[in-house]
Amino acid sequence: MLNADISKRRDDAISRGVGMLTQIYVDRAENSEVWDVEGTRYIDFAAGIAVVNTGHRHKKVVAAVEAQLKKFTHTCHQILPYENYIGLAERLNAAVSGGTENKTFFVTTGAEVVENVIKIARIATGRPAVIAFGGGFHGRTFMGMSLTGKVAPYKQGFGAMMPDVYHVPFPIDLHDVTTEDAMAALNKSFKADLDPGRVAATIFEPVQGEGGFYAAPAELMREIRALCDTHGIVMIADEVQTGFARTGNLFAMDAYDVSADLTTMAKGLAGGFPLAAVTGKVELMDAAHPGGLGGTYGGLRRPMLFWT
Ligand SMILES: Cc1ncc(COP(=O)(O)O)c(C=O)c1O
């Protein structure tokens, strides 16, 4: 098989909206290497967009999948629950700052977890508005897309975004935007447009990924924490991309001297399988009524956490 032949079939069969960066059709992968259908070997720096943090086919991940496949594939935790959903939640509760004061809930993808973290913040505070940052990326569903701080290619042509989402510039030295500029913009907005008493949450990536790999300055994290404490706003760290040691620490927030109230995770959490989680403060995580959160596939049969 040739890459060019498959590529032609792909053009005829698959929606143009799914953008593609390469025409290297993968045949197999091992640790950091991939081989395409023509037998060419590559070093994989993309890692499934920051997913296979321990490399392709890590032996513990493969063993966990094999073991689970021999038992059952799917029962839906909301119908017939299983113990390892709870076991993984306990580990995440302990791993995210806050420890025993945390609870967790699982869904399937990064965008889905972003949707849900906003639901949690809204029901816990009884407020509608959300503050996000320019250049940030939070997924392609309607709330994820609305929170994303980039029009092209994510929002362009897709109609009305979710209401009550406000963007603030993200401090980046290279762009001459300081933490002071970001906070001044936010405070201006609090005077002109947005009553802080209507704000449920502020969401940010501790290191912007899609936005260009920019780490949030420590002062920004402190200022956001203080602002959230002053106005009763929920501080959300979107660690979908930065989580699971991509920045050296288990979570990027571990490098800062303040913590978020809620943390979203996906990607590296399950080493290549669709699993996502929100972990955070009990009083927020318990705000929703039973049945208000969930989904058919949330909490994959055996969560294949790479650090087990
Ligand atoms: C910070 C962040 N949030 C959310 C998402 C959306 O995740 P998914 O593509 O699994 O929906 C991504 C994906 O790149 C991300 O980097």
Side-chain angles (χ1 to χ4, degrees):
M1 255 187 299
L2 296 175
N3 286 309
D5 293 343
I6 307 175
S7 197
K8 167 83 182 65
R9 282 171 47 211
R10 186 257 176 214
D11 291 347
D12 292 340
I14 307 293
S15 163
R16 197 174 64 103
V18 183
M20 285 175 63
L21 293 183
T22 72
Q23 295 186 355
I24 298 165
Y25 285 85
V26 176
D27 179 48
R28 65 192 173 90
E30 195 70 42
N31 199 2
S32 59
E33 296 170 316
V34 297
W35 287 260
D36 72 5
V37 289
E38 297 174 17
T40 308
R41 183 172 70 103
Y42 297 87
I43 298 174
D44 180 8
F45 286 102
I49 316 192
V51 168
V52 284
N53 294 3
T54 49
H56 293 283
R57 300 185 71 254
H58 188 282
K59 61 181 187 321
K60 287 189 179 175
V61 174
V62 172
V65 178
E66 282 174 352
Q68 185 60 42
L69 285 177
K70 287 181 186 140
K71 292 185 164 184
F72 66 95
T73 56
H74 178 66
T75 60
C76 182
H77 189 77
Q78 289 151 237
I79 308 293
L80 287 172
Y82 31 90
E83 183 277 334
N84 54 25
Y85 184 110
I86 295 153
L88 180 58
E90 287 166 347
R91 298 201 61 190
L92 293 178
N93 292 343
V96 171
S97 60
T100 52
E101 301 307 310
N102 289 331
K103 278 195 175 186
T104 288
F105 137 70
F106 294 108
V107 287
T108 310
T109 67
E112 193 186 0
V113 81
V114 166
E115 295 289 322
N116 278 282
V117 83
I118 301 301
K119 283 172 66 176
I120 292 168
R122 279 184 167 175
I123 198 160
T125 57
R127 303 172 178 184
V130 187
I131 295 165
F133 285 85
F137 182 75
H138 300 286
R140 288 180 166 87
T141 52
F142 262 98
M143 184 47 96
M145 172 169 70
S146 304
L147 292 171
T148 291
K150 230 177 178 182
V151 170
Y154 303 114
K155 306 189 195 200
Q156 217 165 28
F158 291 119
M161 296 293 119
M162 298 295 285
D164 264 325
V165 171
Y166 300 85
H167 285 94
V168 172
F170 190 74
I172 298 173
D173 282 350
L174 190 66
H175 298 177
D176 280 334
V177 181
T178 63
T179 296
E180 257 179 17
D181 297 332
M183 295 316 290
L186 185 54
N187 284 317
K188 221 181 209 171
S189 171
F190 281 168
K191 289 210 171 79
D193 296 311
L194 177 61
D195 172 2
R198 289 184 65 256
V199 180
T202 177
I203 185 166
F204 57 87
E205 298 160 85
V207 180
Q208 286 197 337
E210 161 62 22
F213 300 102
Y214 297 114
E219 316 87 77
L220 179 76
M221 294 291 97
R222 278 185 224 120
E223 295 273 0
I224 292 179
R225 185 66 269 172
L227 183 104
C228 289
D229 292 342
T230 305
H231 298 289
I233 297 170
V234 178
M235 179 168 169
I236 303 171
D238 183 351
E239 295 243 22
V240 163
Q241 182 157 166
T242 49
F244 300 95
R246 284 209 83 81
T247 63
N249 296 307
L250 189 59
F251 295 107
M253 284 307 285
D254 296 345
Y256 295 95
D257 53 9
V258 294
S259 352
D261 302 309
L262 296 173
T263 300
T264 56
M265 305 156 235
K267 294 187 184 267
L269 170 60
F273 291 83
L275 180 68
V278 191
T279 299
K281 291 186 173 159
V282 170
E283 63 272 23
L284 302 173
M285 294 299 293
D286 275 346
H289 44 275
L293 304 176
T296 304
Y297 294 107
L300 202 72
R301 291 64 67 187
R302 174 178 269 283
M304 284 142 296
L305 196 73
F306 86 87
W307 43 284
T308 51

